[in-house]
Amino acid sequence: MRPFPYFICEGREKMRFIHTADVHLGAQPDAGPLYSGQRGSELWDTFEHVLHVCEKEKTDLLLIAGDLFHRQPLIRELKELDYLFAGLSHTKVVLIAGNHDYIRKDSNYPGFRWSGNVFPLFGKEPEYIDFPELNTAVYGLSYHSREITRPLYDDLTAQGIEKIEILLAHGGDERHIPFDVRVLEKSGFDYIALGHIHKPQTLRKNRIIYPGALEPVDKNDTGGHGYVKGEITERGIRTQWVPCASREYIHLEIPVELSDTIGSIRDYIREQISEYGKENVYKIILKGKRDTNVIFDTERMVSGLNVMEIIDETVPAYDFERLYEEHKETILGRYIDCFRGCGEESIEYQALYEGVTALLGSRQ
């Protein structure tokens, strides 16, 4: 008796797969001034690149571990996607819905007629699809609400349907199917293809992996993005993370010194962006102490560059002793005297800076 609902798809010594997740088709990612009109299309382009890799390398399975779409997919988007899937002459596609593209009452997912090589696991409860010609069974379930707080994967185990058994799973935090990786490790699956976390990470070597988002969709999605390429044989599993994003979000801290001007900082930012790549999208954070006579025009510093945001965290390099001596009989001098001797890393020192800045500003 089979313990789960199943589908049969009419051995093999080697099974090759690509594991991706969090593609977020339909999103409009943070892009900066130079790429704001094309980032949404780049999500499709990068996913299509992965499909080209599947076709070129005759990959057996494409595993999509949730959030293929950023929100409920439109019928025209599903038709476009299915056209791309139908172009795969060898690869079979298995996907689940995540917390962004979850199955709701008006979802277009369940009633859509996919091409013969596409096998969605859209059930609310665990199910699997059997690929006897690959000696492989793939298990999974889909979200039917934005949040699932129950640890649904903790009781799920491989059933021995095939020699190779894989779990597609989306979640890993308190609001999205929390799990204990130690429990997953004992579940009997040869590979657990995770989704939901946008940064690539391996929880157990070669076996339990988040590939990360295929493309960054938020300015805080820093670092590399890509997919996992894997191969399972009788001797075990081998995986490789493959970067493929068209651009990255990079946070650059720019050190500021007393001698710096708007021009010198602008030139340094340009040098750094040239080094890290002009195709990327940047958030700039200015750090350090600046000359008290300098006021930074941050827009001028990044004019013509693909910078989404520039944050000035510099502080004026006050000579507090000189200011105290010059203003000891005033409110300014008395305020400075209240904080004398406090360490530069303390909250009191920060209050000293902010208070002196405000008092000097009121004088001007």
Side-chain angles (χ1 to χ4, degrees):
M1 179 177 178
R2 295 183 183 270
F4 298 112
Y6 72 100
F7 312 88
I8 296 181
C9 175
E10 266 291 280
R12 184 87 174 229
E13 294 181 357
K14 179 189 299 184
M15 193 281 288
R16 293 175 295 182
F17 66 87
I18 282 180
H19 163 207
T20 187
D22 301 286
V23 184
H24 289 281
L25 298 174
Q28 291 298 322
D30 297 328
L34 301 187
Y35 303 113
S36 59
Q38 66 189 70
R39 281 296 289 150
S41 295
E42 286 178 348
L43 301 183
W44 283 88
D45 293 342
T46 300
F47 185 64
E48 196 165 348
H49 165 75
V50 174
L51 299 183
H52 288 323
V53 174
C54 289
E55 180 66 11
K56 179 181 178 181
E57 300 185 0
K58 301 300 179 186
T59 302
D60 295 309
L61 290 179
L62 173 59
L63 306 170
I64 304 174
D67 285 355
L68 177 55
F69 283 89
H70 188 63
R71 34 88 179 134
Q72 294 297 313
L74 305 174
I75 289 290
R76 59 178 174 81
E77 292 173 321
L78 292 178
K79 288 183 176 181
E80 182 67 27
L81 182 65
D82 191 57
Y83 170 79
L84 298 176
F85 287 154
L88 297 171
S89 62
H90 182 86
T91 306
K92 297 173 177 62
V93 181
V94 186
L95 68 149
I96 59 174
N99 59 296
H100 275 267
D101 56 355
Y102 69 98
I103 309 293
R104 66 187 193 191
K105 289 183 179 180
D106 61 347
S107 173
N108 292 317
Y109 264 149
F112 187 76
R113 296 188 64 179
W114 299 92
S115 295
N117 64 327
V118 182
F119 302 89
L121 296 173
F122 286 157
K124 191 174 184 179
E125 301 297 327
E127 55 188 352
Y128 70 85
I129 181 161
D130 188 3
F131 299 102
E133 73 281 13
L134 300 176
N135 295 320
T136 301
V138 181
Y139 299 65
L141 59 87
S142 284
Y143 280 63
H144 284 241
S145 60
R146 288 185 183 276
E147 297 183 0
I148 301 176
T149 58
R150 292 177 296 141
L152 299 180
Y153 301 126
D154 284 2
D155 295 326
L156 188 56
T157 58
Q159 299 296 304
I161 307 301
E162 292 289 353
K163 291 181 180 179
I164 300 169
E165 302 209 304
I166 293 172
L167 173 64
L168 278 180
H170 189 92
D173 63 36
E174 291 182 357
R175 296 184 302 163
H176 305 97
I177 312 187
F179 59 75
D180 185 334
V181 68
R182 294 168 298 182
V183 174
L184 281 185
E185 192 175 21
K186 298 176 182 178
S187 62
F189 292 102
D190 298 277
Y191 183 74
I192 298 178
L194 296 173
H196 183 58
I197 304 300
H198 284 199
K199 292 186 182 296
Q201 53 187 288
T202 299
L203 303 187
R204 289 294 184 270
K205 185 178 180 181
N206 291 333
R207 289 191 55 233
I208 307 178
I209 298 177
Y210 285 106
L214 198 59
E215 281 270 354
V217 295
D218 180 88
K219 64 185 178 182
N220 293 315
D221 277 355
T222 56
H225 290 78
Y227 59 91
V228 171
K229 185 186 297 185
E231 181 179 283
I232 301 177
T233 69
E234 291 184 354
R235 290 186 289 182
I237 182 168
R238 181 172 58 184
T239 59
Q240 172 191 5
W241 184 79
V242 182
C244 72
S246 55
R247 60 192 86 253
E248 295 180 16
Y249 294 112
I250 296 178
H251 294 182
L252 276 182
E253 287 193 2
I254 303 298
V256 174
E257 300 177 352
L258 292 179
S259 59
D260 276 318
T261 64
I262 294 173
S264 67
I265 295 173
R266 179 193 59 206
D267 290 344
Y268 184 71
I269 290 173
R270 289 180 183 275
E271 290 174 5
Q272 292 294 295
I273 288 179
S274 293
E275 180 179 336
Y276 282 95
K278 293 181 179 180
E279 74 279 4
N280 296 316
V281 184
Y282 292 88
K283 174 181 177 180
I284 304 295
I285 307 102
L286 305 179
K287 295 272 193 178
K289 294 183 179 181
R290 68 176 187 273
D291 189 303
T292 55
N293 296 309
V294 173
I295 298 175
F296 289 149
D297 182 348
T298 54
E299 289 188 10
R300 182 181 162 198
M301 288 177 180
V302 298
S303 177
L305 301 173
N306 200 45
V307 175
M308 289 187 307
E309 184 179 12
I310 179 166
I311 300 174
D312 183 4
E313 294 185 358
T314 62
V315 293
Y318 294 125
D319 184 339
F320 290 117
E321 286 302 319
R322 181 182 63 79
L323 285 173
Y324 173 73
E325 291 298 328
E326 293 177 357
H327 303 279
K328 64 171 61 177
E329 301 303 324
T330 69
I331 292 177
L332 176 59
R334 292 171 185 171
Y335 185 82
I336 293 172
D337 191 44
C338 291
F339 293 94
R340 297 177 84 180
C342 61
E344 289 194 12
E345 301 299 322
S346 66
I347 295 177
E348 289 80 7
Y349 198 76
Q350 182 180 346
L352 172 61
Y353 254 107
E354 293 179 359
V356 168
T357 299
L359 289 167
L360 287 174
S362 67
R363 286 171 173 269
Q364 294 172 357

